[in-house]
Amino acid sequence: MKRVVVTGMGAVTPLGNNVEDTWKEIRAGECGIDRITLFDTTDYAVKIAAEVKNLNLADYGIDRKEARKMSRFTQFATAAASQALADAGYTKESLANEKAGIMIGNGIGGFETIEAAFKKYFEAGNDRIPPLAVPMFISNEGAANISMLYGIEGPSWTLATACSSGTDALGAALDLVRSGRVDVCIAGGTEASITGFGIGCFTVLQTLATSFNDDPKKASRPFDTKREGFTMGEGAGILILEDYEHAKARGAKIYAEFAGYGASSDAYHITSPRKDGSGGALAIKRAIEDAGIKKEEVDYYNAHGTSTPVNDPAETNMVKLAFGQHAYDMKISSTKSMTGHCVGAAGAIEAIISIKAMNDGFYPPTINLENPDIENGCDLDYVPNKGVEGEINCIASASLGFGGHNGCIIMKKIKD
């Protein structure tokens, strides 16, 4: 099989509209959660979220006419893809000569477009539904718009595994490049679920934090005794995956080697992971095996770390099952404490953060970790509150999705 490397990265997150701004805020332990501005929260129990701020698509070569035809999740995906391709040294013209494909993870699609279409339907009748409602809200439109913007005629696919979508899309893209079906793959995840209906749905499901409306930056607190639910985030993360020999031949810079991927299903519950962590542990073990490394080689693990009462102890059990005693030796953090939970985009954004951590030699913090939930087994090194310097040669990043989807990726520093 071919070796696969990362040659470009792009991000739109609650902490910044590019990779460097996002990473600067992560290093500083800043939080992107604040009061919701995208809709009126007067009648809502949850009034906070981690919104993307001040995104101007013109900065990424996407004109206003095209932008109006895109739902918010597609706008995020195209902006991040534009950054990643430029970072990798690709243009529309140069991509025309490449065997290229696209693999984008997404959990829900155009939530705000769905809301608006239903409002028109119920209030004004079926003949008043906006004509572009379907092509704007279906979840494949992120990938489709990237293919149209850049003239990419290879496979343009969308993968949906809820909160694991971004990670699983990267894993599927890895296989596309490894197999030789494509030399270059634009891969990652995107999501925009901060709408009235979206927040309402997750609130009644009792998954969101509801007691921090007056102190939003304290709301996401993974592994802490006072955690009570996740905080909704949004954004996109896109990576350019490339055949190693192809990247070397064109003189590309290389951020990391994409060494392995593993997936599993809990086959247990529609919203909760297995309490013993066995399902997620299987995904990690498979990723380590796929990467051809020893578990002790993993220096940093970016946790799913949602800050829900159920997830954090289960994920800690999962890490202990997968890594054994090494779980106590490596560093673990949940960067969702700063970005919120970006659902289908989360895994891709966290992969980018992990690569930056490896290249900079800096372990990101888990902020708001004031009292670790030792009673429920959360006793690992979660890098509380302040990041630390240190050499990182190999990272693992995992995501767990509603429905029992588990995915884990392994990336390491490139060695010739």
Side-chain angles (χ1 to χ4, degrees), residues 90-334:
Y90 281 116
T91 64
K92 182 176 182 178
E93 291 71 27
S94 64
L95 278 171
N97 300 316
E98 299 291 351
K99 190 165 65 173
I102 303 165
M103 182 68 73
I104 304 296
N106 178 249
I108 298 165
F111 232 143
E112 83 284 4
T113 302
I114 295 170
E115 281 187 36
F118 271 121
K119 189 171 189 295
K120 285 286 187 181
Y121 173 68
F122 286 116
E123 292 182 357
N126 67 287
D127 60 343
R128 303 303 295 170
I129 298 171
L132 291 180
V134 169
M136 286 177 67
F137 73 62
I138 51 179
S139 60
N140 70 298
E141 286 306 288
N145 273 276
I146 294 169
S147 73
M148 289 184 285
L149 284 168
Y150 288 95
I152 298 169
E153 297 180 347
S156 174
W157 294 340
T158 299
L159 189 151
T161 50
C163 310
S164 190
S165 298
T167 294
D168 289 332
L170 290 174
L174 170 67
D175 288 340
L176 277 177
V177 181
R178 270 181 171 173
S179 67
R181 290 184 181 273
V182 299
D183 295 324
V184 181
C185 195
I186 301 162
T190 185
E191 201 76 78
S193 300
I194 305 174
T195 70
F197 186 60
I199 295 296
C201 285
F202 282 98
T203 301
V204 297
L205 195 57
Q206 298 183 328
T207 60
L208 298 182
T210 59
S211 302
F212 295 88
N213 291 327
D214 295 327
D215 196 5
K217 298 192 184 305
K218 294 287 187 182
S220 185
R221 43 195 320 111
F223 309 107
D224 188 80
T225 54
K226 293 184 179 179
R227 72 189 185 282
E228 60 175 39
F230 71 82
T231 303
M232 187 69 75
E234 62 178 2
I238 300 292
L239 295 83
I240 306 302
L241 307 189
E242 193 164 346
D243 168 29
Y244 174 57
E245 296 298 335
H246 184 275
K248 277 189 69 175
R250 69 181 188 90
K253 68 175 178 292
I254 294 174
Y255 287 104
E257 179 170 2
F258 194 161
Y261 166 69
S264 68
S265 297
D266 281 349
Y268 169 69
H269 191 274
I270 196 64
T271 59
S272 296
R274 288 185 178 273
K275 293 181 180 179
D276 65 0
S278 56
L282 184 58
I284 295 175
K285 290 176 181 178
R286 286 172 172 168
I288 290 170
E289 181 181 0
D290 188 49
I293 63 170
K294 297 178 180 178
K295 60 189 177 185
E296 290 80 12
E297 293 180 54
V298 177
D299 301 303
Y300 171 63
Y301 171 83
N302 189 293
H304 187 57
T306 57
S307 184
T308 62
V310 173
N311 176 89
D312 297 359
E315 186 172 15
T316 299
N317 288 338
M318 162 182 141
V319 171
K320 291 175 182 177
L321 278 174
F323 289 100
Q325 183 58 39
H326 183 59
Y328 290 91
D329 299 326
M330 65 184 185
K331 294 190 182 300
I332 300 162
S333 62
S334 171

Side-chain angles (χ1 to χ4, degrees), residues 56-64 66-67 70 75 78-79 82 149:
N56 182 3
L57 291 183
D59 293 341
Y60 310 102
I62 303 164
D63 65 38
R64 191 174 298 177
E66 290 301 318
M70 300 177 186
Q75 292 178 355
T78 52
S82 173
L149 284 168

